[in-house]
Structures are given as structure tokens and as C-alpha cells.
Amino acid sequence: MRSDTMGREQVMIKVSSGHSLEGDIYRKTPSLHGVGVLVLHPYAYLGGSMRDPVVTELFGCLCRSSWTSVILRYNQRGVGASTGYRQPRGSGDFQDVLDVLDYLAGTLPPGTNKRLVVVGYSWGCCVAAHALRHPLIAAYVGVSFPLSGLSMILGTKGHFEELGGTRHLPRLLITGSQDQFSGEAQLMQSLTKAGGRLLEDDDSFQVVGTSGAPAPTPGGAAAAPLLLRVWAGADHFWLDQVAAMAEYVNDWLRGTLAAAGAAEDGAAITAFSQAARA
């Protein structure tokens, strides 16, 4: 394990398969929050790694944010110093991500309300969709979810269905209008099938066709619509728009977790009051 003076460490994470996965973790000390964020990289067979420029921008932005406690990215099997072989269809990666989330949860400050967030880019969106099974997951963001190109080979439509079926969690998708690996028409069709909503192409987080408040954030077991923003002019690789996109992700997550936390606090107060009157 290597560390620097800013709370950033390079670690090897042992998972249940026996493999060790190379990770890059940033811990904020002291921290009063119990929020851990995991950022997932693109398809390994096409050169994807935790050093990918989009992953790096997202990781850095989340490290600088005030609402996060621990931020982690890691190399999937066979990438960098991670042991094992790259997974053509991700079967091993889907189990590994749950083990990595257990590891991340264990790094959060004791005595806090532990919550985990997954942020996936490209193929990482698909791996992150399977992470939604973890009991501590509080929100999901998928950047450039691949629904064309290699989607038939990789089975990404099935992973999208996994995402669409997790209706109790806040979920945000962002894609560029010029994305080479996810046609806008295909994505809109899948969004509609999942009961999702399209957001305005600005920083308002407002659903298209509404003039009221931004899209609601659920509290407790309430259903949350799958949200999509189509970013005008951006392609799959984001290039000069990556910093603005990362800030958008950060702002949505900060607001979403704040709203969900307030709802949880309100529910706890209501339950306490009811018990006191009984």
C-alpha cells in the first residue's frame, strides 16, 4: 500500500474469488459523512482502466466535493496490477464489484449513516447496474451507457433492464447526443420502457415538459424514476466537455443524497413521535 499526504492511497483489494484488485482510494480525514463513492471504468478489452480520462475526471471531482467521505476506483480483473484475466462478458466483474463495495463500506467512518454511490462510465455503467444489489447503495449514475455497437455481444441491454428494474433508488443516466456507442433513439426507447424521464439539457435537473421543481427524489421506499440527460454536442469520450459533465454528476448526487437524507431523518422523527405517543 502506498499513500500520500492528501489521504490518497494505492491499495490491493482481496475479493471472494481469491483475486486481488488494484485500487486508488481517497479518504477525507476528519469526515463527518458516511458516503462512499465507487467509480467504475470502461471495457477492459478495449483498453479501459481506472486511469481512463473520464474516470479520472469523475474521481477527481468527487474527491474535491464536500459531501463525500471516501472515493474509490479500481482496475477490474487482468487490468494493471489486478490479478486474473479480463472478463469478456463481465461475469466475474459482477461479483467483484459487490466485494469491492463491502471493502469501501468498511473504510467509512464509524458511527455515521453509511451510504454507497456507484458511478459507471461506458461498460462501467453495466457493472454498476449489478452493484445495485448491495444493501447500502443509495444512488447510481451511468455516463455513456453503451446500447449499440458491441451491445449485442456484451449483452448490455440485459444490464440496462437490471438498472431499469431497480425503481427504489435514484438513478441518473447521461449520454452525449453524438455518442458513437449508444444511439439516442435506442436509449430513449429503453428509457420509456423503464418508465424513465428525460431531463432538460441544462443544469436545472428539471424534467422536460414540466415547469415546476426539479425531478423528485424519493424518501423511504418511494419509487424513483430513471432520469436521462442528453448532453448536446458530446460524444462517447466527452473531450472538452468532461469537466462540466463531472460537475453535473457531482451536483446531482449532492442534491439527491441531501434530499434522501432529509427524508430519512423526517421518517425517523415521525416514528419516534408516534412511539412516544403510544
Side-chain angles (χ1 to χ4, degrees):
M1 176 187 297
R2 288 187 317 186
S3 64
D4 60 29
T5 58
M6 299 300 290
R8 185 166 165 180
E9 304 172 359
Q10 292 183 343
V11 295
M12 295 300 292
I13 304 166
K14 194 81 169 179
V15 293
S16 59
S17 64
H19 292 295
S20 294
L21 305 179
E22 178 187 19
D24 188 7
I25 191 169
Y26 186 89
R27 311 171 200 247
K28 298 179 181 179
T29 53
S31 176
L32 300 177
H33 305 290
V35 180
V37 185
L38 178 62
V39 186
L40 293 149
H41 70 68
Y43 192 50
Y45 270 94
L46 295 180
S49 79
M50 68 176 180
R51 306 297 180 192
D52 173 89
V54 175
V55 171
T56 296
E57 186 67 37
L58 288 163
F59 181 81
C61 182
L62 293 163
C63 286
R64 295 188 295 271
S65 185
S66 61
W67 58 271
T68 56
S69 179
V70 183
I71 305 89
L72 173 66
R73 58 180 173 173
Y74 72 97
N75 279 328
Q76 294 163 17
R77 296 186 194 184
V79 179
S82 293
T83 62
Y85 297 96
R86 291 174 292 177
Q87 304 288 291
R89 293 177 64 90
S91 57
D93 296 326
F94 303 144
Q95 177 56 49
D96 290 346
V97 71
L98 296 173
D99 294 335
V100 173
L101 285 168
D102 284 341
Y103 169 85
L104 177 58
T107 68
L108 295 175
T112 58
N113 178 23
K114 294 186 178 184
R115 293 179 289 173
L116 301 176
V117 172
V118 283
V119 179
Y121 167 53
S122 191
W123 170 250
C125 297
C126 300
V127 180
H130 290 267
L132 298 180
R133 303 172 187 177
H134 195 281
L136 294 181
I137 291 294
Y140 168 101
V141 175
V143 178
S144 302
F145 199 112
L147 276 179
S148 58
L150 294 173
S151 62
M152 291 189 66
I153 297 173
L154 299 179
T156 61
K157 291 183 180 179
H159 305 315
F160 192 96
E161 291 174 1
E162 183 93 14
L163 171 65
T166 312
R167 296 177 181 244
H168 66 289
L169 290 173
R171 295 150 297 153
L172 171 67
L173 293 172
I174 307 173
T175 194
S177 63
Q178 307 301 315
D179 194 302
Q180 301 92 326
F181 299 101
S182 189
E184 186 177 341
Q186 279 185 303
L187 196 54
M188 286 301 302
Q189 183 179 16
S190 298
L191 181 76
T192 301
K193 185 178 178 181
R197 300 180 188 177
L198 181 65
L199 296 177
E200 297 283 1
D201 186 24
D202 55 30
D203 293 339
S204 68
F205 305 112
Q206 183 174 305
V207 174
V208 168
T210 64
S211 57
T217 300
L226 176 60
L227 303 175
L228 168 66
R229 176 178 174 181
V230 179
W231 199 291
D235 67 6
H236 194 75
F237 305 101
W238 291 92
L239 301 177
D240 60 342
Q241 302 194 63
V242 65
M245 179 273 291
E247 288 293 345
Y248 183 86
V249 168
N250 178 64
D251 290 346
W252 182 80
L253 283 171
R254 180 176 56 232
T256 295
L257 292 186
E264 290 172 5
D265 291 344
I269 291 170
T270 299
F272 179 82
S273 298
Q274 290 173 343
R277 290 195 298 268

